[in-house]
Every structure is written in structure tokens, then in C-alpha cells.
Amino acid sequence: MNSGDEAGSGPAISGKRTTIYDIAQTVGTSASAVSAVLNGTWRKRRISQKLADRISAVAVEKGYSINLQASVLRRERSNIIGMIVPKYDNRYFGAIAEQFEEGARKAGYFPVITCTQRDPNLELEAARMLLSYQVECLIVTGATDPDRISDLCHAAGVKVVNLDLPGSKAHSVISDNHQGALELTRVLLSVRSAQTGRDECLYFVGGRTNDHNTSERVRGFLQAHSERGMTVPAANVLACGYAAQKAYDSLSALGHVPKGIFVNSTISLEGAVRWLTDLPAQDRQDILYCCFDWDPFAALMPNCVGMAQQDVPALLERVFAWVATGKTSTTVELVPCRLRLQQP
Amino acid sequence: MNSGDEAGSGPAISGKRTTIYDIAQTVGTSASAVSAVLNGTWRKRRISQKLADRISAVAVEKGYSINLQASVLRRERSNIIGMIVPKYDNRYFGAIAEQFEEGARKAGYFPVITCTQRDPNLELEAARMLLSYQVECLIVTGATDPDRISDLCHAAGVKVVNLDLPGSKAHSVISDNHQGALELTRVLLSVRSAQTGRDECLYFVGGRTNDHNTSERVRGFLQAHSERGMTVPAANVLACGYAAQKAYDSLSALGHVPKGIFVNSTISLEGAVRWLTDLPAQDRQDILYCCFDWDPFAALMPNCVGMAQQDVPALLERVFAWVATGKTSTTVELVPCRLRLQQP
DNA sequence: CTGAAAGCGCTTACAG
DNA sequence: CTGAAAGCGCTTACAG
């Protein structure tokens, strides 16, 4: 009695999930037919509407859900697209992750993102994992060593594109850091000089000079000064790394209060703003800064002259366009940044 | 000649990836041995050190990477843990996603997160996808209809826990919204009354009253008023939804300028702060607000009295602790919020 | 219009 | 100390 016919008795009891064989058996047909009906190729196989309906009904009734591990294993394509991203808890990378998922779904992929905390070992480890899950394509965002990951992907025959930070072994889509920094510095220089009546060198805070993006931004920063005939002392460039605390510390360590600051990234900005709020009110008054990167609240802070917003939709559009071509290249594609200036 | 022995000739040429059979063949052993060596069970199978070394060397040489789709299909456990999250581009959910990955890796899982934009259909769709990828456990964060997802998981025999928004069919871990809102409202009321010399009802902006968290926060908001003998007019609760623009619009539509505002979430705060900055400077002067949720920059805005920060590490700690027990429950676990007050 | 069979790349008892 | 074999749940030519 306890081993009676359970056909039509609803979802499988814990443990065993319903398979196409279960469905085939209760319908009285073959697994092939069930598979074809469930994956939409049944018209092509000229299965009768009647059988298709019956199969679909039983599938729903039993709470069937395809086992994609099996499906992917059998098919040639996995339909999975992977992304490596340094952080989520950051407006820029948060927006990248979010819009990447959206774009991936639109392009018919299942997106899998993993966050690697700017740790080179984690990056490599994560890339290996994603390759093991048979991603068809890997987007490598802001990786410290994109070329090693490119090698891995090439060896596995997997498409790869670098985003945000360029590499030399794959196509790269990055913001035009030089242009953005140049324009942003020009604005801050001119606002400062209108305020004080004279030209004065700015400070640059955050990042590392051996990082491509930082060095491009420093280049724009210096160029904007030299356009005005100014030469920036080396001591004005505080490339102290990315941690917020580092920005705080190196500003505090200066021994005087710089009045015009170019902050490199919102992460450094957290430190800079904390430093600012810890100052006595009178010192704080006439300090102005700008920041490369955009954050909705940071943009509205009182001492902020403007921010350079990276164009996330355009960056991702370029990435997906590149993925679609399927070509290989080692070109660097530059996407301009948008300046968002504080209303005076 | 073009079909010569390619053993030791490096990674597979495009297309075919190296399998354990390839390695077995070039080493001159069986796939079983290769599998055992590569997944670490070889000591138990008493394979000789010599053979193990040889296999490992060839695996590295050929750039072997396991096919986890095949591995997971064969094994009983997938080791995959899934999470559904409404957004990445938000400090709270960004932090949740980031710390979830960290915790998952520590617990030996491969984390897969998908972002569902507060869209009930996408939530369901994403849950189905993750189940199809054989997740062992699903964390459902801030879902509009967690119970339908719980049903899906139960049918598939998959552990499920709700995070941030409670459900009635699975264990839920959420912030103590009532306590946080109560304490936060008390602070704003007392600062306002110290400023003006009299008690005045605050406005509540953002969210939906049929959303559990919003209604709990409204309850705390009202309770703080009634503690002071005040009754809040219904018109003071602007539960206008979550979009920033909605907050902007409903504040603008008031026809007067409220002086004390409880903003429900940083998303609504973006609208509220924009509304604030669009006001004439004299109106802006003495407006104070607080906000449920924390954002590093928003916390430093001039008119901000304080924010309620949800305790993300504690929330996730509870989630993973629950996952580890493997029990089922429909209990709601409350995690207190931290008040972060503006330095005066 | 439909089914039997092979095979995707692993893992794991089982039998030496 | 090691290998042959079965099987995880699908998909897809192939043969009716």
C-alpha cells in the first residue's frame, strides 16, 4: 500500500527532484519527447500539440525544473557570461554590476558576477572558478593583473574583455581618464583662481601611480596646470593608495591645509571628506575639491566643485557590442567621461 | 604527419578543452586515477605519490580546468549558494552582496548573486534559474513576494532564508525597523524642539505602507511622537514609493516647506536632498532630516541629524548560522540597527 | 509524428 | 596500489 502509484501526486518528495524521465513515465512517452517539448524544439520535431500540452501540464503539476548542469554539460554552449568586479559597495562598480546583469539578460546570457576585493589572488581564483563553470565569455573589471586572466581565458578558448582597467592581451573598454581629469582640473583651477585672485597648485589625493588609471589622471591633472603655466611640485601628488584611511592620513600629515584638492575616486573621497569635517570650521570654509568618480550624495556636498562621472551605460554597451562581434583584439577603446559640476 | 602525437604540447587548441581522459591518456593511466588525484581523494585511494605527481604535472602543463557542470551533475552536492538582491547600486545592498560573497566562500560555497530590481517577475524568474543551477540554498533579500519563492524552494528540497524582508514560509533575518525608527525619530524630535522651543510633528517620506519594513518604521515614527503626547496627522506620512523622484515630487507638492523630515531609505533620500538643494537658501537653512539606512556621504550632509545603519555583518552572520543548522523554521529574527548621529 | 541510443565530463562504489 | 563500469540528467542526430 505504501508503494502505490504516485503519478500525479505533485512535486517530488524531498531529495529526488523530478526529471524528464519521471515526466515521460507518467505521461507514457519518451524522455526525448519531454525534452523537446520543455525546451521549445518540439514544433521542429513535429510533436503533436496534444502530447505537448499533456507533457507541459504534468511538468507544471510536478514542479519540474530543468537541471541546467546536465543541460549545459550536454550542449555545446553554456550561455553563461561571467564578470569579475572589485567591489559592489561603491556607486561606480555597483552600477556596472547592475547594468551588466541587465545587458547580459537582454543578450540572452545568464550573468554570474564575482567580487574580488582588488585581491590579485582572488581575481585569479575567481577567474578559474568561472572558467570551470564553463562561462562563454568573461568580463574582467578593474583587475590588478588582467593579462594573466587573459592567458587563462585564451587557453580555455573563452572570450575575454577588460573593463575599466586595460590589459595588453585582450580588448579593453575603459574611461578616458586623461580627458576627464584634464577637464575636471581645469574647472577646479579656474574656480579657485576666481576665488583667490591668483593661480595656485592643487593637490592630488588617492590611488597609485603604477595603476594605469591613476597615472592617466595625474597626467591630465598636470597638463591642466601647465596650460596655465604652472608646474606642480612632486609633493602635491599624494598617491597614497585606495583606502579611505590613507587619504585621511596623508592629508592630515601635510602639516598645512591645502585649499584645492583633486580626489581620485570616491573611496579616497570618503577619507578626504572625513578629514574635512574634522577640521576647525574656519579652515574648512574655503577648501574646494573635485573628484574623479561620481556619487549622488558626494556630488551635493558643500565644498565639492564637480565630479567626473564615468559613463557606465556607454562602457557596457561597448563591452556587449564587442562580445557580439566575437573578434579578438588587443585594442583599448576609450569612452569619454561626463563632467557633473556643482551648481554655484 | 599532421596527426602526430600531441602529448605534452600544451593547452588544448581552441574548442576542445582538456578532460581527465586526455590527461589519463598522456600519463598512461585511468580517468579514475586522474579524477582522484585532481580532487584530492587520492591518498584515501592509496595512489602512489609518483603517479600523483606525474598527473598533477601533466594537468598543469595542459592547462586543465575541471568542468564543474559535469562534476556537480555527478555529485550529490553542488556547493552553490544563491542570493537574490534588489539592487547593487546602493550602499546597503552593495554591502550585503559583498559580505555575502565573503561569508559564502568562507563557508565553502560558491556564491551566485542575481539582482532583481524589485521586480516580482524577475524575482521569481531568478529564483527558478538559481534552482535550475542546483543551488543548495537560496538567500532571498528584500523580495516583494518571498513566500512564492519559499514554495519553489521547498518543492525542490532547497534551503531558503529571507533577508531584510520577512516571509511566512521560511526563516527570516531582518533589521529591527521599529526600534531603529523609534530611536531615530526621538533624536530628530528632540533636536527640532531644542531648536524651535516647541514640539512639531515630523514628516515621513518614502516607501509603501503595505511593505513590512516601511510599516514597522512608520510605527516607530508614530510611537516616538506619541511618547511626547503628539498625534501625527495622516497627511504627514508620504509613503510615495521608493523612487527618488517620487520623494522629490511629493515634497514639492506639499505647498509648504516641512522643517523636520524622516526619510525612509537612501533611495528616497536622493530625491529629498535634490528637493532640498533646489530650495531657496533661506528656506533650506533650518530644515533637518534623518534617514533610515546609512550612506557614508549622506551621513555628512549639513542638514542630516543622523542615520539608522543596518548591521550588515550581524545580519549575514545570522543568515550563515541559520544555513549551517539546516533546520527549518518560519521564525523572524530581529537584528538591532545602529544609530549614527551627526556630530553637532 | 515519435523513441532508442549515444554521449557530454565527471565521481564513486566495486573488484581486483 | 589501480582500472572498468555505471550513472548523474540532459540533448540530439538517427532511424523509423
Side-chain angles (χ1 to χ4, degrees), chain B residues 9-27:
Chain B
S9 60
I13 317 305
S14 78
K16 289 305 277 177
R17 273 153 80 162
T18 306
T19 71
I20 54 172
Y21 285 95
D22 300 331
I23 295 175
Q25 194 173 4
T26 93
V27 171

Side-chain angles (χ1 to χ4, degrees), chain A residues 161-228:
Chain A
V161 6
N162 298 313
L163 178 57
D164 182 58
L165 227 42
S168 64
K169 299 187 163 182
H171 189 74
S172 302
V173 176
I174 67 170
S175 290
D176 191 338
N177 291 284
H178 172 259
Q179 158 265 339
L182 174 62
E183 294 179 10
L184 196 56
T185 310
R186 279 181 188 150
V187 169
L188 183 51
L189 279 173
S190 83
V191 173
R192 276 292 296 164
S193 113
Q195 189 189 42
T196 63
R198 60 200 177 76
D199 273 354
E200 210 178 342
C201 286
L202 307 174
Y203 278 75
F204 183 103
V205 177
R208 291 193 190 82
T209 42
N210 59 352
D211 158 8
H212 170 277
N213 291 353
T214 296
S215 76
E216 280 299 282
R217 293 174 196 170
V218 168
R219 198 163 66 82
F221 174 81
L222 298 178
Q223 183 176 330
H225 282 80
S226 71
E227 282 175 356
R228 287 176 162 257

Side-chain angles (χ1 to χ4, degrees), chain B residues 29-30 32 45-48 73-74:
Chain B
T29 183
S30 69
S32 328
R45 300 195 72 220
R46 298 191 304 162
I47 284 170
S48 65
L73 175 61
R74 190 60 182 75

Side-chain angles (χ1 to χ4, degrees), chain A residues 9-10 15 31 46 55 73 102 109 113 129 165 274-275 287-288 302 305 311:
Chain A
S9 60
R46 298 191 303 166
I55 289 173
L73 175 61
E102 205 188 319
Y109 288 106
I113 310 181
M129 264 302 204
L165 227 42
R274 238 172 37 235
W275 166 80
I287 298 173
L288 293 179
V305 164
D311 191 345

